[in-house]
Amino acid sequence: MRRSLAGVALAVTSMVALSFLIPLGALVMSLVKEQSVTAAEQRAAALAPVLTLTTDPSALRESAAGLDESEHLVVHLPDAQTLGDTQAPAKLLERAQQGRESISQKTPGGWICLQPVVLPGDRVAVIENFVPDEELTRGVRASWAVMLLLAVGLVGGSVLVADRLGAKVVRSSKKLAQASHTLGQGNLDTRVEPMGPKELRDAGVAFNAMAHRMTELLAIERELVADLSHRLRTPLTALHLASERMAGTPESARVEAAVHALETELQAIIAAARTPLAVGPMGHGMRSAEPSTPRPAAGAEPAAGCRSEAAEVFRRRTAFWAVLAEQQDRPCALEITQEPTAVSLSDDDIAAVVDALIGNVFSHTPAGTAFGVRVVRTAQAVELIVEDSGPGIPEPDRALSRGSSTGSSGLGLDIARRAAAVTGGSMRVGHGPRGGAHITVVFALAPSQSAGRGPRGSRRRTGWWPPRKR
């Protein structure tokens, strides 16, 4: 590209220089010639008054020498006497004398000027002034040389400027191309510093935005894998409980081993997906690329028009968990509002939140521990409250960070937090009145539902809260 730009600059400036040099050179030659001829005519005209006063040869020679030191000024007297070395052809001289005509024209070797002078007695004398060719072109070559040097300097300067500009453009293009190759090889941490012309700066900014977005999308994809894997824990828990009921049978040990192996593999998948995204080349010098904003449980923002009745989904999922609670002799209290609770999430995302929170109760509290689920409709939101009488969460603030819980993948609370954040809600983790965990997930209502509230409906209660004594 640099050679191309330099070649274009060379061609353009050369054509411009030639377009000026040729007419300027011709103009300089014409001006020098015109000045020389005019000076010769002026010298001949200056000698004419002397010739009208006297025809003395010595006086005329002295006057001619004073006007022209090169001795090209010649006087032709009427008596055919010539004072000086004449260069005028006989025909021109005869024409000037007889026709009394001033003549100025090119002759071999130079330029001849003939000025007739009428003397007393109607006699005619002719003053001749010859200008050699070297005087007609004196100073022309020097002027041409100066103009040529200026033209060469102009062309060289334009090529140098074009080369510098081309180098800047090429440098920016090479850096952008190198960054593209590096990004294509898997180094997602690659960025470029926008530089060069405006178009290349815009391309650099767009490249950085693209690389950043790719990193975010890959992080979202890994979160999606982890979230989907975490959802498999719900049926896995059911299988584990079923295997416990089979205790004492010949198939019990084999089923329990299979369930344990499946749980181990699932935990490995979640751990691998939860590993921070590597953005360095070939795993060297890698750093985390954590998403800067919360994301929905499915790992992406909800599609336009996504809408679900949250209370109905809560009702279906808590009915499933109530059966498992009865099998483990867990006292369970359910309170679900009958008011409309439309939120901007899919049924699967809402179900994933319920399964994650109640699944944590079953996974991290001993059998027989009581828990309760409440769904409350407020003016602008739906609140899902999950409580238990277990040991609680030691560090509620850290519990919201994925992977921070000891002995857990930490995905359950993160799934609920991100789902709430998508709707514009929030999540709080604390200690309940009986010492166990107290988790509140707030889902903002869909726009058409948050404008006002209908009459409060009845709540359905199932089980016992606080837990019954045994």
Side-chain angles (χ1 to χ4, degrees), residues 62-87:
E62 184 178 356
S63 298
L67 293 174
D68 186 10
E69 296 180 355
S70 59
E71 297 182 355
H72 292 307
L73 198 59
V74 180
V75 178
H76 299 274
L77 296 175
D79 56 1
Q81 184 180 2
T82 300
L83 304 178
D85 297 331
T86 181
Q87 300 289 336

Side-chain angles (χ1 to χ4, degrees), residues 432-458:
R434 301 183 68 87
H438 182 95
I439 302 173
T440 302
V441 183
V442 180
F443 300 95
L445 291 172
S448 61
Q449 292 290 325
S450 60
R453 294 180 59 188
R456 182 179 294 273
S458 61

Side-chain angles (χ1 to χ4, degrees), residues 46-195:
L47 186 60
V50 178
L51 188 59
T52 57
L53 295 177
T54 180
T55 57
D56 180 55
S58 60
L60 291 177
R61 285 193 180 92
E62 184 178 356
S63 298
L67 293 174
D68 186 10
E69 296 180 355
S70 59
E71 297 182 355
H72 292 307
L73 198 59
V74 180
V75 178
H76 299 274
L77 296 175
D79 56 1
Q81 184 180 2
T82 300
L83 304 178
D85 297 331
T86 181
Q87 300 289 336
K91 291 184 178 180
L92 286 180
L93 185 60
E94 183 180 358
R95 174 183 164 188
Q97 287 178 339
Q98 294 181 359
R100 301 179 181 183
E101 175 185 357
S102 298
I103 298 175
S104 179
Q105 70 176 41
K106 184 73 172 63
T107 60
W111 192 276
I112 193 71
C113 295
L114 299 178
Q115 178 67 43
V117 179
V118 180
L119 301 178
D122 200 26
R123 296 178 302 165
V124 178
V126 177
I127 301 174
E128 171 193 340
N129 196 358
F130 178 75
V131 182
D133 286 336
E134 55 268 22
E135 290 188 14
L136 292 177
T137 58
R138 181 176 298 173
V140 172
R141 292 183 178 179
S143 299
W144 284 0
V146 172
M147 289 189 292
L148 182 61
L149 289 176
L150 290 176
V152 171
L154 176 62
V155 173
S158 64
V159 172
L160 180 62
V161 171
D163 181 73
R164 291 297 89 198
L165 293 176
K168 191 174 182 180
V169 173
V170 169
R171 190 182 307 113
S172 302
S173 302
K174 284 184 176 180
K175 288 186 176 181
L176 188 58
Q178 183 179 4
S180 299
H181 287 304
T182 306
L183 182 66
Q185 293 172 357
N187 188 355
L188 301 182
D189 198 30
T190 301
R191 299 293 185 272
V192 297
E193 180 181 357
M195 60 183 297

Side-chain angles (χ1 to χ4, degrees), residues 176 192-195 199-211:
L176 188 58
V192 297
E193 180 181 357
M195 60 183 297
E199 293 77 8
L200 286 178
R201 292 199 303 271
D202 293 342
V205 172
F207 176 87
N208 291 338
M210 177 193 67

Side-chain angles (χ1 to χ4, degrees), residues 2 26 59 67 83 115 127 133 150 156-157 161 212 215 227 262 288 316 338 348 401 436 445 454 460 469:
R2 292 178 61 180
L67 293 174
L83 304 178
Q115 178 67 43
I127 301 174
D133 286 336
L150 290 176
V161 171
H212 181 69
T215 303
D227 294 346
L262 180 59
S288 298
R316 291 198 307 265
Q338 299 295 324
D348 291 340
S401 300
L445 291 172
R460 183 182 67 171
K469 295 182 179 179

Side-chain angles (χ1 to χ4, degrees), residues 328-352:
Q328 288 194 354
D329 198 21
R330 290 178 181 269
C332 175
L334 305 177
E335 295 183 11
I336 301 178
T337 181
Q338 299 295 324
E339 297 182 59
T341 55
V343 296
S344 299
L345 284 175
S346 66
D347 289 355
D348 291 340
D349 291 335
I350 298 174

Side-chain angles (χ1 to χ4, degrees), residues 15-74:
M15 288 188 294
V16 172
L18 287 176
S19 65
F20 281 94
L21 280 178
I22 294 175
L24 280 177
L27 179 62
V28 168
M29 177 176 286
S30 176
L31 288 176
V32 171
K33 178 181 177 180
E34 184 178 353
Q35 289 176 357
S36 299
V37 172
T38 301
E41 292 175 349
Q42 290 175 350
R43 289 193 295 269
L47 186 60
V50 178
L51 188 59
T52 57
L53 295 177
T54 180
T55 57
D56 180 55
S58 60
L60 291 177
R61 285 193 180 92
E62 184 178 356
S63 298
L67 293 174
D68 186 10
E69 296 180 355
S70 59
E71 297 182 355
H72 292 307
L73 198 59
V74 180

